[in-house]
Each structure stands twice: as structure tokens, then as C-alpha cells.
């Protein structure tokens, strides 16, 4: 069986086509289309018509590419940049009408569940009680669990793009006062969630997302060309030093640092502040940078639980109000 997933993020539309033999999604083809939706959408604002047209074209190309590689219609989802837009339903309807792809949005808590599943399968059972941190453009997802799926999840409005827009819009590089103000906000928002993770006492902690991958490289982890099976650790102390380094440079110069790409250079500082604050509040000194995340989680749920769960996700996405904060928890058992 060959399946595919399309992930519409704040900067890129990504396609993964995978073989599902043996219950493991083994990639056979990947592709991406850079849209940089985050540059065209202000936090809380609608997605403009031009950006919707670009999104339609990218999803259509992704669907055609998946078909060429022998995969059925892709499991397609959009993250916070579309989920939080007031014209979300119009965007989803337009994509479906013009491409035939059932693009849906996932509540942040479901994103955390699926990302946790991907990380759990990658790390294996020997990792024990597992804490997960995933910082995207609009939100930070945190999860903890002892089994296949998490016992506890949280989605917080602490995305790197969102915070960059809120705190660093007027200065490049930002002033030390603005960096401290950002840290205070992150600390306040994370306080209760961090206390829960600290109380649970995870044996292993992982960080996923492109932002953490780039920060891990900046902190000394092996580059991507060394392959996914290289152990990549990111220490809290190194992340603190990276904040000092990033804060001293304008965004254009950050793009010359190891691992930091030009499209994410502006938001790299906010991502580093969020990551370091999360680790400090939870008492975690180092994380493993995990290559599997939400896309692999979607593929795994499809393989392990069949197509009916995704049909339910799509149905709930159609019914939810544009600003609905109520989490959708996909039916699951923490012990399964």
C-alpha cells in the first residue's frame, strides 16, 4: 500500500509519499512548494485571495505528484496559519472545489497527539516516559505520555512567527528589553504546562519541527546530509548561547549561521527563546532532535487505525467554527 500526506505549514507545502509495508511509513518521494503564507498573513488576519490561489496551485501539484507515484488521494491538513484565519472555511472549500483534495485543519491538541505518535515510534519504547516539544509558526505543542499516544497535550499561542510579529516587528536586531519582554510572556504562558511536565518526570525529551531542527544544527548537531539516523542532541546551555548569538544579529545575517535558513532567520530568535524557556521551566537539560513529527504521525495513524479516523477528522474540521478553541481528541486509548 502506498499512501501520501500533504502538510500546509506557515512557509511551505510539503508532500510525503510512503510505502506502508510492515506497518512503517517508508518514504519513496518527498516534495515541497514554498508559499511563505506567514509573510502574507498577519496573525489573526484573513488569508488574501492571491495567497489562496497559490495554495490551490501547490495542493493541486502535490496531489498530481502523489498520483504519479502511485498513491491515493493525499491526507491533507493545514496548521495554524490556516486554522486561525477568519476565512478558514472559505479557504478549505476553495481548495476542495478546485483540486478535489479534502484539505482540513487540525486543532493544536490533535497536532500534538499525532506528533507525539511519530516521535514515540521513532524513539521506541526504550525511551520510556516521553516529553515532546514542537514549535511551529503559530503555536507551541507540548505533550507527555508513557504509551503510544500522550496522556497530556497542550497547544499554546507561542509560535515563532506569531511572537516575532508581536515583539520584534520594530527592531532588527531587537532590543534586549524586547527579548526580555518575550521571555516573560513565554514564561507566563508556559508556567502551568511546564509544572505538569516537571511533575511527570519524563525519562526522555524530544523536540520536533523545522525550527528546532535548525536550532539544533546551530547548537552543534550534525547536518542533515548525515542522514536521519544520526543522534542529534540539543543542550539547554547551548540553546541559551544561541539566543545571545541570534539576538546580536539582524535577520539577514542570521541566515549565514549554521543551520539557519533565510526564510526562517527572522523567527529563529523567538523560536530559540521559546525552546530554552520551555526546557528551563520543565527542568530538562537536553532534548533529542527527532526527524519524525506530525506528517509521520498522520501516516502512522492511517496505517494502524485505518481510514475511518481520518474521515472523522475531516468531518469535524468542516463542522468547527473558524475560531473554535475546543480541542478535538481523536478517539484513542493511552494504553493501546
Amino acid at each position: 500500500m502506498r499512501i501520501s500526506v500533504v502538510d500546509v505549514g506557515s512557509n511551505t507545502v510539503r508532500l510525503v509519499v510512503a510505502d506502508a509495508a510492515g506497518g512503517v511509513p517508508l518514504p519513496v518521494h518527498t516534495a515541497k512548494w514554498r508559499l511563505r503564507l506567514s509573510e502574507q498573513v498577519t496573525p489573526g488576519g484573513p488569508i488574501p485571495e492571491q495567497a489562496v490561489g497559490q495554495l490551490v496551485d501547490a495542493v493541486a501539484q502535490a496531489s498530481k505528484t502523489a498520483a504519479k507515484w502511485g498513491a491515493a488521494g493525499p491526507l491533507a491538513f493545514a496548521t495554524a496559519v490556516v486554522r486561525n484565519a477568519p476565512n478558514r472555511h472559505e479557504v478549505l472549500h476553495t481548495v476542495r472545489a478546485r483540486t478535489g483534495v479534502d484539505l482540513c485543519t487540525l486543532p493544536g491538541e490533535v497536532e500534538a497527539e499525532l506528533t507525539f505518535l511519530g516521535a514515540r515510534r521513532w524513539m521506541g519504547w526504550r525511551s520510556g516516559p516521553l516529553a515532546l516539544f514542537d514549535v511551529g509558526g503559530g503555536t507551541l505543542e507540548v505533550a507527555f505520555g508513557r504509551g503510544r499516544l500522550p496522556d497530556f497535550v497542550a497547544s499554546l499561542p507561542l509560535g515563532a512567527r506569531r511572537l516575532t510579529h508581536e515583539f520584534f516587528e520594530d527592531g532588527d536586531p531587537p532590543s534586549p528589553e524586547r527579548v526580555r519582554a518575550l521571555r516573560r510572556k513565554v514564561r507566563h504562558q508556559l508556567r502551568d504546562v511546564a509544572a505538569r511536565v516537571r511533575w511527570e518526570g519524563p525519562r526522555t525529551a524530544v523536540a520536533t519541527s523545522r525550527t528546532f531542527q535548525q536550532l539544533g544544527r546551530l547548537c552543534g548537531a550534525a547536518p542533515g546530509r548525515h542522514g536521519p539516523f544520526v543522534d542529534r542532541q540539543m543542550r539547554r546551555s547551548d540553546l541559551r548561547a544561541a539566543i545571545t548569538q541570534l539576538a546580536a544579529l539582524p535577520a539577514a545575517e542570521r541566515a549565514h549561521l549554521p543551520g539557519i535558513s533565510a526564510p526562517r532567520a527572522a523567527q529563529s530568535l523567538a523560536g530559540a527563546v521559546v525552546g530554552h524557556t520551555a526546557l528551563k521551566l520543565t527542568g530538562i537539560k537536553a532534548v533529542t532532535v527527532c526527524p519524525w513529527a506530525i506528517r509521520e504521525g498522520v501516516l502512522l495513524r492511517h496505517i494502524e487505525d485505518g481510514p475511518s479516523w481520518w474521515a472523522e477528522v475531516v468531518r469535524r474540521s468542516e463542522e468547527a467554527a473558524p475560531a473554535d478553541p475546543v480541542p478535538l481528541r481523536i478517539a484513542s486509548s493511552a494504553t493501546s
Side-chain angles (χ1 to χ4, degrees), residues 252-271:
E253 293 185 25
R254 293 177 202 158
H256 299 298
L257 296 173
I260 304 299
S261 66
R264 295 179 184 272
Q267 67 187 50
S268 59
L269 175 57

Side-chain angles (χ1 to χ4, degrees), residues 3-312:
I3 54 180
S4 63
V5 60
V6 171
D7 173 3
V8 178
S10 59
N11 290 305
T12 309
V13 174
R14 295 179 181 270
L15 166 71
V16 176
V17 180
D19 281 333
V24 179
L26 300 175
V28 295
H29 182 71
T30 62
K32 64 181 179 181
W33 294 263
R34 273 194 205 288
L35 300 188
R36 299 185 182 177
L37 290 177
S38 61
E39 297 179 5
Q40 305 180 60
V41 181
T42 58
I47 299 177
E49 184 176 347
Q50 179 179 351
V52 175
Q54 295 170 348
L55 175 57
V56 167
D57 290 342
V59 172
Q61 291 180 52
S63 180
K64 291 178 182 177
T65 302
K68 288 180 181 178
W69 283 84
L75 310 172
F77 65 93
T79 52
V81 67
V82 174
R83 182 177 67 233
N84 296 334
N87 62 336
R88 183 189 78 188
H89 283 297
E90 291 81 357
V91 173
L92 299 180
H93 175 76
T94 300
V95 171
R96 291 168 188 163
R98 296 185 186 178
T99 69
V101 176
D102 283 329
L103 180 67
C104 69
T105 56
L106 304 175
E109 290 77 8
V110 174
E111 288 187 17
E113 288 186 350
L114 293 168
T115 304
F116 183 93
L117 174 60
R120 168 62 79 190
R121 288 289 186 256
W122 181 268
M123 298 297 293
W125 294 111
R126 64 180 294 181
S127 58
L130 182 69
L132 166 85
F133 303 94
D134 183 292
V135 61
T139 57
L140 166 71
E141 273 68 58
V142 181
F144 171 85
R146 296 172 175 83
R148 170 184 177 240
L149 294 174
D151 306 316
F152 161 75
V153 296
S155 180
L156 303 170
L158 296 175
R161 175 186 60 86
R162 178 198 295 263
L163 296 177
T164 299
H165 180 81
E166 181 178 350
F167 287 90
F168 300 157
E169 195 77 2
D170 299 329
D172 186 23
S175 67
E177 291 76 13
R178 297 305 291 165
V179 176
R180 286 194 292 268
L182 169 59
R183 188 180 289 279
R184 283 194 298 270
K185 172 165 183 170
V186 176
R187 196 162 48 230
H188 174 74
Q189 293 267 350
L190 265 173
R191 183 180 55 197
D192 293 339
V193 171
R196 171 67 185 270
V197 173
R198 191 170 59 247
W199 179 81
E200 293 282 5
R203 182 176 186 270
T204 306
V206 298
T208 62
S209 80
R210 191 64 177 161
T211 294
F212 277 139
Q213 288 175 0
Q214 294 194 5
L215 290 172
R217 177 72 184 100
L218 179 61
C219 291
R225 66 178 180 273
H226 289 185
F229 299 110
V230 174
D231 182 43
R232 292 177 170 88
Q233 295 289 315
M234 182 169 62
R235 295 185 300 176
R236 190 175 80 201
S237 58
D238 291 336
L239 193 52
R240 182 66 185 89
I243 292 173
T244 301
Q245 186 177 18
L246 292 166
L249 298 174
E253 293 185 25
R254 293 177 202 158
H256 299 298
L257 296 173
I260 304 299
S261 66
R264 295 179 184 272
Q267 67 187 50
S268 59
L269 175 57
V273 171
V274 171
H276 180 265
T277 305
L279 297 185
K280 187 173 183 179
L281 291 180
T282 54
I284 294 171
K285 294 183 178 181
V287 294
T288 297
V289 181
C290 178
W292 274 17
I294 187 169
R295 291 185 291 275
E296 290 76 18
V298 170
L299 293 171
L300 285 163
R301 281 302 298 261
H302 187 79
I303 294 169
E304 296 174 2
D305 297 342
S308 60
W309 77 272
W310 185 255
E312 178 68 6

